[in-house]
Amino acid sequence: MRRHAAAAVFFALAVRAAGGDLDGEFARLAQKQGVANAGIDARPVQDGTPLGSQRADESFPLASVTKLFTACAALETLGPDYELVTRLWVLRGAEGEAALVAVGGGDPGISGRDFGGNPCAVFERWAAALREAGIRKITRIDLDETRFGPDRIGEAWPKDQLHEWYAAPAGALALNDDCVEVTVSPGKAAGDPAIVKMSPDTAHVKIDNRCGTTADKSQHSVVIWRKPGSSTISVKGLFLSGAAPMTDSVTIDDPARFFGAVLLETLARNGLEVKEAPITLRNEPFIPAFGDGQPLVHATPLRDALRVMLQRSQNFYAEQILRAAGPRGATVKECILEARKSLALVGIGAEELAWLDGSGLSKGNRASAAAVTKLLAGASKRPWGAVFRECLAAPGGDGTLSKRLPGLEGAVRAKTGTIAGVSNLAGYVETKGGRAAFAVLCSQLKEGTPPATRLQDEIVRLLAK
């Protein structure tokens, strides 16, 4: 304890030697950047004693800083070595025939992210394994998504953005971040229909192509949209002749049926007979019987999922992880109630956090800067603290800090958070007095996010000195 206290004292003395207390410096920097509504806090992780603050106890929208709370709750509940698993059970019937049962555990990793952009790579491997086992015909596919509850999206998510990739629905059985990539290219000549392709290419999703080709640059405008509850994606507008293709990720409506349809289509493309094989959703969890053998498996380690969630700020991963850490079949509210119990072990009381979803897309996710740094300091003392920190974005990496804070590549690990009118940054910075937790939460930004990001970066650099 003496060593920890000494580090905090050294930090405080270093700040005073640099020309003033941190409270005053935080206020001066906020005024300099014209950010009137900012909550700022910094504290050493060793003892958690605040080093400096500015409106640190006021509640602010968290945006994707919410993912810090989701990550800590999941690590506390599941442990850093947990895996999110999808299992494909093969129930043999007549010679060369089999029924399949896909059992979802919230695995977010069946996509092209780790397979060279091929979203069906895992399914293709399963097809090869089935052929090698002597299976020639699939008679049916049952889908077990009972691990998750019924609510796939946040109740407070913006209804006009549910087709956007960052609002993808959660699902115990999930494929390609529960999105399809829609690529639009110009036709051969002005007046021709634009060319629309989709990946994965599936009959489960329909394309309503009302986009033409134009030679007039001023007319170049394309809208890609899906109505909530529909499996049809509309492409409208005019695409400039000779222009490079554009690709947009669009959410799907029914994760399990999307998973089942693409699996069946992939098996068919890879030499298995699937004609007239029905796809059925199970109402009860599948329990394998004696003699059913071992399933085909795809597993995503929790720590790998957390890296995607925290470094790339992937909302879909956050929603999957929140539900995977909750009870079987639980609603999001019930998952959050369980997650709060885990956060209590990290030192965060229920009253310190307004929590509506796993990702932060809901504006109602709120906490103070002091609560965020308290979480970060508490997390550093848990057995999984090092894993948590390593999953955060770093300057110069391939995450959300790739172009920020040059020169501090080895000194900063942090999480960004941005929604309309909000820009946040929170994490760890290595200082001459030891590691410190910091949070800079900025809202009501009428001039966009640049002033807030400049303020955040200046504060991090100040602490690093």
Side-chain angles (χ1 to χ4, degrees), residues 258 317 320 338 379 409 414:
F258 173 59
Y317 274 60
Q320 295 287 103
E338 285 298 309
E409 286 79 4

Side-chain angles (χ1 to χ4, degrees), residues 143 145 152 171 173-174 178 252 254-261 279 281:
L143 306 173
E145 60 170 353
R152 306 185 191 281
L173 286 167
D178 283 344
I252 52 87
D254 189 333
R257 290 197 179 276
F258 173 59
F259 180 101
I279 299 175
L281 291 178

Side-chain angles (χ1 to χ4, degrees), residues 233-375:
I233 296 173
S234 298
V235 183
K236 298 180 181 180
L238 291 170
F239 204 100
L240 180 63
S241 178
M246 63 170 283
T247 299
D248 198 7
S249 289
V250 182
T251 62
I252 52 87
D253 179 62
D254 189 333
R257 290 197 179 276
F258 173 59
F259 180 101
V262 177
L263 173 58
L264 202 63
E265 291 162 347
T266 304
L267 297 180
R269 287 197 304 271
N270 285 268
L272 283 92
E273 183 183 344
V274 300
K275 187 177 181 181
E276 298 179 356
I279 299 175
T280 306
L281 291 178
R282 295 181 62 90
N283 295 321
E284 299 291 335
F286 172 73
I287 300 175
F290 179 77
D292 284 343
Q294 296 297 314
L296 301 173
V297 172
H298 182 272
T300 299
L302 176 61
R303 63 182 71 201
D304 291 349
L306 289 173
R307 286 191 187 96
V308 176
M309 177 183 104
L310 294 171
Q311 293 182 12
R312 297 179 177 273
S313 204
Q314 226 314 343
N315 288 355
F316 169 73
Y317 274 60
E319 299 302 330
Q320 295 287 103
I321 289 169
L322 175 66
R323 289 163 175 79
R328 170 175 286 277
T331 65
V332 169
K333 288 182 179 179
E334 291 167 340
C335 290
I336 288 174
L337 284 174
E338 285 298 309
R340 288 187 184 279
K341 297 176 183 178
S342 297
L343 290 188
L345 300 174
V346 190
I348 300 298
E351 74 285 353
E352 297 182 82
L353 172 65
W355 200 359
L356 297 182
D357 60 29
S359 61
L361 186 55
S362 299
K363 280 196 171 183
N365 294 294
R366 299 179 67 93
S368 67
V372 176
T373 58
K374 185 179 173 184
L375 173 82

Side-chain angles (χ1 to χ4, degrees), residues 122-155:
V122 171
F123 291 173
E124 291 169 359
R125 293 181 181 183
W126 286 352
L130 290 169
R131 292 198 313 270
E132 188 174 329
I135 304 299
R136 299 186 303 275
K137 181 179 180 180
I138 304 302
T139 58
R140 65 182 295 116
I141 295 182
D142 286 357
L143 306 173
D144 179 356
E145 60 170 353
T146 58
R147 176 62 182 83
F148 284 5
D151 43 354
R152 306 185 191 281
I153 61 174
E155 61 178 336

Side-chain angles (χ1 to χ4, degrees), residues 148-174:
F148 284 5
D151 43 354
R152 306 185 191 281
I153 61 174
E155 61 178 336
W157 287 7
K159 302 304 181 185
D160 61 341
Q161 298 174 36
L162 296 181
H163 64 291
E164 301 282 4
W165 67 269
Y166 52 78
L173 286 167

